[in-house]
């Protein structure tokens, strides 16, 4: 038994810089009672730390962000959302530790994404607390009162659209679901930018963004000209024959709809 551990230990040491097996895998392998299976496990662990080692930190953190997006699309509860943000923060912390210089440009972007997800959680929590009080759902049906809930900073940070919260128009209101969706969109963009920046040297020019779809460009231009928003973000909502349908959420809490064919778009509402 000791001889087996010794030979495996020597094999790991010899692999050295070429194959750094993750400590958690080594520990898991050593817990296997069967000697042959333990040896196979340790050999597999060495391969895990081989040529693809530099890509592993990015793969892990990317999976974490993809998992968050999938949870949001599935309709995650607030309690589970809190845990998901915590897990995401842990994944980014592990990425910073494991990626080294290759992740120097990515780490700040991933951290910004986690911060945005956390901020959306603050909005969510305060809306739950506020509307749990009797009568608030009727008196402030136009949106969560910004100042009453200490969220002025959130509106400024993410340029969120507000409207009349109460019927008298005394309080600015933040429509919770659209605002939360906008912050999540910001977080997703930061995470995607972080993945693209992996391996870039600090101070190196960023890679050019791929050209936008002609339909999206046309829709966003039309929405901007119609004073829908200073920075409209179009999303495809459907397809009818050769036409593609798009929508844009405006600063006044309204939604513009468009029908496009090969970059030629017409407004539907």
């Amino acid at each position: 038994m000791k001889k087996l551990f010794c030979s495996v230990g020597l094999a790991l040491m010899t692999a050295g810089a070429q194959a750094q097996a993750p400590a958690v895998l080594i520990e898991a392998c050593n817990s296997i009672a069967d000697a042959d299976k333990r040896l196979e496990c340790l050999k597999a662990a060495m391969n895990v730390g081989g040529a693809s080692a530099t890509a592993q930190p990015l793969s892990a953190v990317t999976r974490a962000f993809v998992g968050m997006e999938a949870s949001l699309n599935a309709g995650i509860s607030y309690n589970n959302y809190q845990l998901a943000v915590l897990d995401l923060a842990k994944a980014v912390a592990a990425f910073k530790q494991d990626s080294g210089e290759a992740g120097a440009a990515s780490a700040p972007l991933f951290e910004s994404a986690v911060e945005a997800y956390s901020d959306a959680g603050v909005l969510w929590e305060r809306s739950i607390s506020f509307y749990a009080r009797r009568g608030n759902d009727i008196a402030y049906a136009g949106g969560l009162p910004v100042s009453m809930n200490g969220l002025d900073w959130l509106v400024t940070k993410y340029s969120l659209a507000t409207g009349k919260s109460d019927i008298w128009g005394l309080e600015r209101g933040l429509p919770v679901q659209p605002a939360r969706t906008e912050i999540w969109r910001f977080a997703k963009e930061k995470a995607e930018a972080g993945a693209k920046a992996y391996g870039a040297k600090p101070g190196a020019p960023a890679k050019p963004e791929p050209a936008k779809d002609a339909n999206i460009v046309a829709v966003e231009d039309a929405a901007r000209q119609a004073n829908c928003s200073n920075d409209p973000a179009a999303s495809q909502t459907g397809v009818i024959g050769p036409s593609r349908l798009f929508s844009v959420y405006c600063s006044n809490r309204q939604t513009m709809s468009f029908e496009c064919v090969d970059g030629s778009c017409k407004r539907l509402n």
Side-chain angles (χ1 to χ4, degrees):
M1 184 79 67
K2 290 183 179 178
K3 184 176 180 181
L4 173 63
F5 276 115
C6 226
S7 61
V8 171
L10 286 173
L12 287 171
M13 290 174 65
T14 302
Q18 296 178 353
Q20 286 190 341
V24 66
L25 292 182
I26 300 273
E27 191 174 328
C29 291
N30 282 335
S31 67
I32 298 174
D34 184 274
D36 292 334
K37 291 183 179 179
R38 184 167 57 248
L39 179 58
E40 290 178 9
C41 178
L42 287 165
K43 287 179 178 178
M46 286 190 289
N47 290 333
V48 166
S52 63
T54 56
Q56 285 180 1
L58 179 62
S59 298
V61 77
T62 299
R63 281 196 302 271
F65 279 106
V66 169
M68 170 62 90
E69 187 69 16
S71 296
L72 296 179
N73 292 336
I76 189 172
S77 68
Y78 172 68
N79 288 336
N80 288 336
Y81 180 80
Q82 288 179 299
L83 297 175
V85 173
L86 179 60
D87 288 341
L88 203 55
K90 290 178 180 177
V92 172
F95 171 82
K96 288 180 66 178
Q97 179 177 332
D98 298 340
S99 62
E101 186 178 348
S106 300
L109 293 166
F110 286 140
E111 288 175 329
S112 292
V114 172
E115 183 178 322
Y117 280 122
S118 179
D119 289 344
V122 172
L123 170 62
W124 198 346
E125 184 279 326
R126 294 190 188 178
S127 68
I128 292 172
S129 177
F130 183 80
Y131 285 116
R133 301 171 202 162
R134 181 179 296 178
N136 278 355
D137 58 333
I138 297 174
Y140 299 97
L144 183 68
V146 174
S147 296
M148 291 175 65
N149 288 277
L151 293 174
D152 298 88
W153 62 273
L154 191 73
V155 172
T156 302
K157 185 174 182 179
Y158 297 101
S159 301
L160 300 175
T162 60
K164 293 181 180 180
S165 174
D166 54 290
I167 58 175
W168 303 279
L170 300 176
E171 292 287 338
R172 281 192 307 158
L174 196 58
V176 177
Q177 181 58 36
R180 209 170 49 191
T181 300
E182 176 62 20
I183 299 172
W184 286 339
R185 182 185 68 83
F186 175 92
K188 182 181 178 181
E189 288 180 353
K190 288 293 183 181
E192 290 173 347
K196 290 179 181 178
Y198 186 72
K201 295 181 180 179
K207 294 180 181 178
E209 291 288 330
K212 275 189 177 182
D213 179 275
N215 291 313
I216 291 179
V217 172
V219 167
E220 292 179 350
D221 284 345
R224 194 176 293 107
Q225 292 173 15
N227 296 320
C228 165
S229 170
N230 291 329
D231 186 22
S235 58
Q236 185 171 332
T237 58
V239 177
I240 300 178
S243 301
R244 293 166 62 188
L245 304 180
F246 295 85
S247 66
V248 179
Y249 182 75
C250 302
S251 300
N252 62 359
R253 297 188 298 163
Q254 301 299 314
T255 300
M256 284 187 178
S257 299
F258 295 85
E259 180 179 350
C260 301
V261 178
D262 298 331
S264 177
C265 302
K266 66 178 181 179
R267 184 176 170 182
L268 301 178
N269 63 345

